[in-house]
Amino acid sequence: MYASSARKIWDEFKERFDKDDLTRIYQISADITALKQDTDSVTSYFSRLKDLRNELDILAPLPSCDCEESRPYVDHLVGQRLLQFLMGLNESYSHVRSALLLKKPVLTVNQAYAFVVQEESLRELGVVETNRKQ
């Protein structure tokens, strides 16, 4: 986590993860699918999810071109990452989840995270109710 340069971090990641390790990809994918917020804050939950995704991106990198042919895949991946984040949130965020799913264009996971963290902050301040009726 601490290094004198970004290059050293990347070199370490390359050494550690530069393998076609389908077993590890499977494990990370399973961990992402099973990850839930539970008693964690939204920030803590999102950080754990992001760490898993970062490791997965190193093992199974995205297309490096920004060409028209890769756009549908990237758009699909953006949607999948949003869904993974929303599925792991506690049920108390169900109304927020619904609102985010209706947004057009589809939000990135970072935009959704910012929205949910704002909701969490409002709850902590007592501005909104935690258990809204559906």
Side-chain angles (χ1 to χ4, degrees):
M1 186 167 198
Y2 298 100
S4 58
S5 72
R7 179 70 185 168
K8 285 185 179 182
I9 293 171
W10 283 115
D11 287 345
E12 184 176 331
F13 278 154
K14 184 171 176 58
E15 180 182 336
R16 196 180 315 164
F17 302 114
D18 192 22
K19 298 171 185 65
D20 187 14
D21 188 351
L22 197 55
T23 303
R24 183 65 186 141
I25 291 171
Y26 175 86
Q27 184 60 53
I28 295 168
S29 298
D31 290 347
I32 288 172
T33 301
L35 188 62
K36 302 292 181 206
Q37 178 187 359
D38 295 325
T39 60
D40 290 339
S41 69
V42 173
T43 299
S44 178
Y45 159 65
F46 183 75
S47 293
R48 289 187 296 132
L49 181 61
K50 189 150 180 60
D51 287 346
L52 289 168
R53 280 205 201 110
N54 288 342
E55 186 175 351
L56 186 60
D57 286 346
I58 290 167
L59 291 169
L62 301 174
S64 59
C65 72
D66 193 20
C67 53
E68 195 61 33
E69 290 80 21
S70 67
R71 178 58 38 206
Y73 175 75
V74 172
D75 290 344
H76 175 74
L77 186 62
V78 166
Q80 289 299 306
R81 289 184 173 189
L82 173 64
L83 295 175
Q84 288 168 342
F85 170 66
L86 295 176
M87 287 188 289
L89 289 173
N90 291 337
E91 280 306 307
S92 65
Y93 288 99
S94 62
H95 69 285
V96 176
R97 183 183 304 116
S98 297
L100 293 174
L101 288 170
L102 293 174
K103 293 231 182 243
K104 296 289 181 199
V106 174
L107 297 178
T108 66
V109 71
N110 288 334
Q111 291 168 325
Y113 165 73
F115 193 89
V116 175
V117 164
Q118 184 178 21
E119 172 77 11
E120 182 181 54
S121 295
L122 291 172
R123 288 178 181 188
E124 289 172 1
L125 293 171
V127 176
V128 296
E129 294 178 30
T130 301
N131 298 319
R132 294 183 186 186
K133 293 187 179 185
Q134 301 298 323

PDB file of all heavy atoms in Angstrom, residues 11 20 25-26 29 38 44 48 60 66 68 70 78 80 88 107 110 124 127:
ATOM      1  N   ASP A  11       5.029  -2.762 -10.620  1.00  0.00           N
ATOM      2  CA  ASP A  11       5.965  -3.877 -10.769  1.00  0.00           C
ATOM      3  C   ASP A  11       5.634  -4.998  -9.792  1.00  0.00           C
ATOM      4  O   ASP A  11       5.693  -6.181 -10.133  1.00  0.00           O
ATOM      5  CB  ASP A  11       7.410  -3.399 -10.556  1.00  0.00           C
ATOM      6  CG  ASP A  11       7.924  -2.563 -11.716  1.00  0.00           C
ATOM      7  OD1 ASP A  11       7.297  -2.577 -12.801  1.00  0.00           O
ATOM      8  OD2 ASP A  11       8.951  -1.874 -11.531  1.00  0.00           O
ATOM      9  N   ASP A  20      -1.959 -16.293 -15.771  1.00  0.00           N
ATOM     10  CA  ASP A  20      -3.297 -16.653 -16.209  1.00  0.00           C
ATOM     11  C   ASP A  20      -3.829 -17.672 -15.214  1.00  0.00           C
ATOM     12  O   ASP A  20      -3.732 -18.877 -15.421  1.00  0.00           O
ATOM     13  CB  ASP A  20      -3.265 -17.216 -17.622  1.00  0.00           C
ATOM     14  CG  ASP A  20      -4.663 -17.432 -18.161  1.00  0.00           C
ATOM     15  OD1 ASP A  20      -5.626 -16.917 -17.567  1.00  0.00           O
ATOM     16  OD2 ASP A  20      -4.787 -18.122 -19.187  1.00  0.00           O
ATOM     17  N   ILE A  25      -9.117 -16.167 -10.601  1.00  0.00           N
ATOM     18  CA  ILE A  25     -10.181 -15.365 -11.226  1.00  0.00           C
ATOM     19  C   ILE A  25     -11.539 -15.869 -10.746  1.00  0.00           C
ATOM     20  O   ILE A  25     -12.424 -15.069 -10.408  1.00  0.00           O
ATOM     21  CB  ILE A  25     -10.068 -15.408 -12.760  1.00  0.00           C
ATOM     22  CG1 ILE A  25      -8.809 -14.647 -13.210  1.00  0.00           C
ATOM     23  CG2 ILE A  25     -11.313 -14.829 -13.418  1.00  0.00           C
ATOM     24  CD1 ILE A  25      -8.477 -14.816 -14.675  1.00  0.00           C
ATOM     25  N   TYR A  26     -11.702 -17.173 -10.685  1.00  0.00           N
ATOM     26  CA  TYR A  26     -12.947 -17.769 -10.194  1.00  0.00           C
ATOM     27  C   TYR A  26     -13.204 -17.350  -8.749  1.00  0.00           C
ATOM     28  O   TYR A  26     -14.312 -16.939  -8.392  1.00  0.00           O
ATOM     29  CB  TYR A  26     -12.882 -19.293 -10.304  1.00  0.00           C
ATOM     30  CG  TYR A  26     -14.078 -19.978  -9.704  1.00  0.00           C
ATOM     31  CD1 TYR A  26     -15.235 -20.181 -10.452  1.00  0.00           C
ATOM     32  CD2 TYR A  26     -14.067 -20.412  -8.374  1.00  0.00           C
ATOM     33  CE1 TYR A  26     -16.339 -20.796  -9.902  1.00  0.00           C
ATOM     34  CE2 TYR A  26     -15.170 -21.021  -7.814  1.00  0.00           C
ATOM     35  CZ  TYR A  26     -16.309 -21.211  -8.581  1.00  0.00           C
ATOM     36  OH  TYR A  26     -17.408 -21.809  -8.017  1.00  0.00           O
ATOM     37  N   SER A  29     -14.158 -13.678  -8.501  1.00  0.00           N
ATOM     38  CA  SER A  29     -15.521 -13.498  -9.011  1.00  0.00           C
ATOM     39  C   SER A  29     -16.557 -13.984  -7.999  1.00  0.00           C
ATOM     40  O   SER A  29     -17.584 -13.336  -7.788  1.00  0.00           O
ATOM     41  CB  SER A  29     -15.690 -14.244 -10.339  1.00  0.00           C
ATOM     42  OG  SER A  29     -14.823 -13.715 -11.304  1.00  0.00           O
ATOM     43  N   ASP A  38     -23.633  -5.714   4.888  1.00  0.00           N
ATOM     44  CA  ASP A  38     -23.869  -6.142   6.271  1.00  0.00           C
ATOM     45  C   ASP A  38     -23.766  -4.957   7.232  1.00  0.00           C
ATOM     46  O   ASP A  38     -24.463  -3.978   7.048  1.00  0.00           O
ATOM     47  CB  ASP A  38     -22.930  -7.281   6.665  1.00  0.00           C
ATOM     48  CG  ASP A  38     -23.194  -8.548   5.866  1.00  0.00           C
ATOM     49  OD1 ASP A  38     -24.371  -8.797   5.551  1.00  0.00           O
ATOM     50  OD2 ASP A  38     -22.245  -9.276   5.568  1.00  0.00           O
ATOM     51  N   SER A  44     -16.765   1.419   3.478  1.00  0.00           N
ATOM     52  CA  SER A  44     -16.000   0.199   3.747  1.00  0.00           C
ATOM     53  C   SER A  44     -16.391  -0.913   2.774  1.00  0.00           C
ATOM     54  O   SER A  44     -15.533  -1.602   2.216  1.00  0.00           O
ATOM     55  CB  SER A  44     -16.218  -0.242   5.189  1.00  0.00           C
ATOM     56  OG  SER A  44     -15.524  -1.423   5.443  1.00  0.00           O
ATOM     57  N   ARG A  48     -13.912  -2.637  -0.174  1.00  0.00           N
ATOM     58  CA  ARG A  48     -13.659  -4.073  -0.321  1.00  0.00           C
ATOM     59  C   ARG A  48     -13.998  -4.545  -1.732  1.00  0.00           C
ATOM     60  O   ARG A  48     -13.251  -5.303  -2.348  1.00  0.00           O
ATOM     61  CB  ARG A  48     -14.447  -4.874   0.713  1.00  0.00           C
ATOM     62  CG  ARG A  48     -13.910  -4.714   2.130  1.00  0.00           C
ATOM     63  CD  ARG A  48     -14.580  -5.630   3.136  1.00  0.00           C
ATOM     64  NE  ARG A  48     -16.002  -5.310   3.264  1.00  0.00           N
ATOM     65  CZ  ARG A  48     -16.994  -6.208   3.226  1.00  0.00           C
ATOM     66  NH1 ARG A  48     -16.733  -7.484   3.127  1.00  0.00           N
ATOM     67  NH2 ARG A  48     -18.239  -5.833   3.340  1.00  0.00           N
ATOM     68  N   ALA A  60      -7.461 -10.281 -15.357  1.00  0.00           N
ATOM     69  CA  ALA A  60      -8.250 -10.367 -16.589  1.00  0.00           C
ATOM     70  C   ALA A  60      -8.475  -8.952 -17.104  1.00  0.00           C
ATOM     71  O   ALA A  60      -9.543  -8.372 -16.919  1.00  0.00           O
ATOM     72  CB  ALA A  60      -9.574 -11.070 -16.313  1.00  0.00           C
ATOM     73  N   ASP A  66      -9.812   2.042 -27.320  1.00  0.00           N
ATOM     74  CA  ASP A  66     -11.055   2.785 -27.128  1.00  0.00           C
ATOM     75  C   ASP A  66     -11.798   2.813 -28.456  1.00  0.00           C
ATOM     76  O   ASP A  66     -12.294   3.834 -28.888  1.00  0.00           O
ATOM     77  CB  ASP A  66     -10.752   4.199 -26.623  1.00  0.00           C
ATOM     78  CG  ASP A  66     -11.985   4.908 -26.120  1.00  0.00           C
ATOM     79  OD1 ASP A  66     -12.979   4.230 -25.797  1.00  0.00           O
ATOM     80  OD2 ASP A  66     -11.971   6.152 -26.064  1.00  0.00           O
ATOM     81  N   GLU A  68     -14.570   1.468 -31.435  1.00  0.00           N
ATOM     82  CA  GLU A  68     -16.014   1.262 -31.509  1.00  0.00           C
ATOM     83  C   GLU A  68     -16.398  -0.192 -31.223  1.00  0.00           C
ATOM     84  O   GLU A  68     -17.429  -0.454 -30.607  1.00  0.00           O
ATOM     85  CB  GLU A  68     -16.519   1.677 -32.897  1.00  0.00           C
ATOM     86  CG  GLU A  68     -18.007   1.843 -32.970  1.00  0.00           C
ATOM     87  CD  GLU A  68     -18.563   2.919 -32.048  1.00  0.00           C
ATOM     88  OE1 GLU A  68     -17.890   3.939 -31.810  1.00  0.00           O
ATOM     89  OE2 GLU A  68     -19.685   2.737 -31.542  1.00  0.00           O
ATOM     90  N   SER A  70     -15.078  -2.285 -29.138  1.00  0.00           N
ATOM     91  CA  SER A  70     -15.034  -2.656 -27.718  1.00  0.00           C
ATOM     92  C   SER A  70     -16.070  -1.901 -26.888  1.00  0.00           C
ATOM     93  O   SER A  70     -16.295  -2.241 -25.729  1.00  0.00           O
ATOM     94  CB  SER A  70     -13.639  -2.412 -27.149  1.00  0.00           C
ATOM     95  OG  SER A  70     -13.344  -1.038 -27.112  1.00  0.00           O
ATOM     96  N   VAL A  78     -19.663  -1.791 -17.388  1.00  0.00           N
ATOM     97  CA  VAL A  78     -20.065  -0.678 -16.522  1.00  0.00           C
ATOM     98  C   VAL A  78     -21.393  -1.015 -15.844  1.00  0.00           C
ATOM     99  O   VAL A  78     -21.560  -0.829 -14.635  1.00  0.00           O
ATOM    100  CB  VAL A  78     -20.171   0.640 -17.326  1.00  0.00           C
ATOM    101  CG1 VAL A  78     -20.902   1.721 -16.539  1.00  0.00           C
ATOM    102  CG2 VAL A  78     -18.781   1.122 -17.730  1.00  0.00           C
ATOM    103  N   GLN A  80     -22.669  -4.061 -15.346  1.00  0.00           N
ATOM    104  CA  GLN A  80     -22.473  -5.184 -14.434  1.00  0.00           C
ATOM    105  C   GLN A  80     -21.872  -4.733 -13.108  1.00  0.00           C
ATOM    106  O   GLN A  80     -22.273  -5.200 -12.040  1.00  0.00           O
ATOM    107  CB  GLN A  80     -21.579  -6.253 -15.083  1.00  0.00           C
ATOM    108  CG  GLN A  80     -22.257  -7.007 -16.197  1.00  0.00           C
ATOM    109  CD  GLN A  80     -23.486  -7.738 -15.700  1.00  0.00           C
ATOM    110  OE1 GLN A  80     -23.427  -8.510 -14.767  1.00  0.00           O
ATOM    111  NE2 GLN A  80     -24.610  -7.475 -16.336  1.00  0.00           N
ATOM    112  N   GLY A  88     -25.159  -5.732  -3.405  1.00  0.00           N
ATOM    113  CA  GLY A  88     -24.530  -5.958  -2.113  1.00  0.00           C
ATOM    114  C   GLY A  88     -24.969  -4.999  -1.021  1.00  0.00           C
ATOM    115  O   GLY A  88     -24.655  -5.207   0.148  1.00  0.00           O
ATOM    116  N   LEU A 107     -25.662   5.034 -14.719  1.00  0.00           N
ATOM    117  CA  LEU A 107     -24.578   5.612 -13.932  1.00  0.00           C
ATOM    118  C   LEU A 107     -23.392   4.667 -13.864  1.00  0.00           C
ATOM    119  O   LEU A 107     -23.549   3.450 -13.956  1.00  0.00           O
ATOM    120  CB  LEU A 107     -25.054   5.875 -12.499  1.00  0.00           C
ATOM    121  CG  LEU A 107     -26.185   6.874 -12.301  1.00  0.00           C
ATOM    122  CD1 LEU A 107     -26.543   6.953 -10.826  1.00  0.00           C
ATOM    123  CD2 LEU A 107     -25.816   8.242 -12.830  1.00  0.00           C
ATOM    124  N   ASN A 110     -18.991   4.500  -9.641  1.00  0.00           N
ATOM    125  CA  ASN A 110     -18.497   5.615  -8.818  1.00  0.00           C
ATOM    126  C   ASN A 110     -19.575   6.677  -8.610  1.00  0.00           C
ATOM    127  O   ASN A 110     -19.691   7.233  -7.510  1.00  0.00           O
ATOM    128  CB  ASN A 110     -17.254   6.243  -9.456  1.00  0.00           C
ATOM    129  CG  ASN A 110     -16.046   5.355  -9.353  1.00  0.00           C
ATOM    130  OD1 ASN A 110     -15.936   4.529  -8.453  1.00  0.00           O
ATOM    131  ND2 ASN A 110     -15.128   5.513 -10.282  1.00  0.00           N
ATOM    132  N   GLU A 124     -27.304   9.489   8.822  1.00  0.00           N
ATOM    133  CA  GLU A 124     -26.551   9.707  10.061  1.00  0.00           C
ATOM    134  C   GLU A 124     -26.911  11.036  10.707  1.00  0.00           C
ATOM    135  O   GLU A 124     -26.876  11.167  11.932  1.00  0.00           O
ATOM    136  CB  GLU A 124     -25.048   9.632   9.778  1.00  0.00           C
ATOM    137  CG  GLU A 124     -24.587   8.220   9.482  1.00  0.00           C
ATOM    138  CD  GLU A 124     -23.143   8.142   9.010  1.00  0.00           C
ATOM    139  OE1 GLU A 124     -22.476   9.198   8.918  1.00  0.00           O
ATOM    140  OE2 GLU A 124     -22.687   7.019   8.732  1.00  0.00           O
ATOM    141  N   VAL A 127     -31.676  13.263   8.761  1.00  0.00           N
ATOM    142  CA  VAL A 127     -32.451  14.041   7.785  1.00  0.00           C
ATOM    143  C   VAL A 127     -33.456  13.157   7.057  1.00  0.00           C
ATOM    144  O   VAL A 127     -34.536  13.603   6.698  1.00  0.00           O
ATOM    145  CB  VAL A 127     -31.518  14.746   6.781  1.00  0.00           C
ATOM    146  CG1 VAL A 127     -32.289  15.480   5.699  1.00  0.00           C
ATOM    147  CG2 VAL A 127     -30.586  15.697   7.524  1.00  0.00           C
TER     148      VAL A 127
END
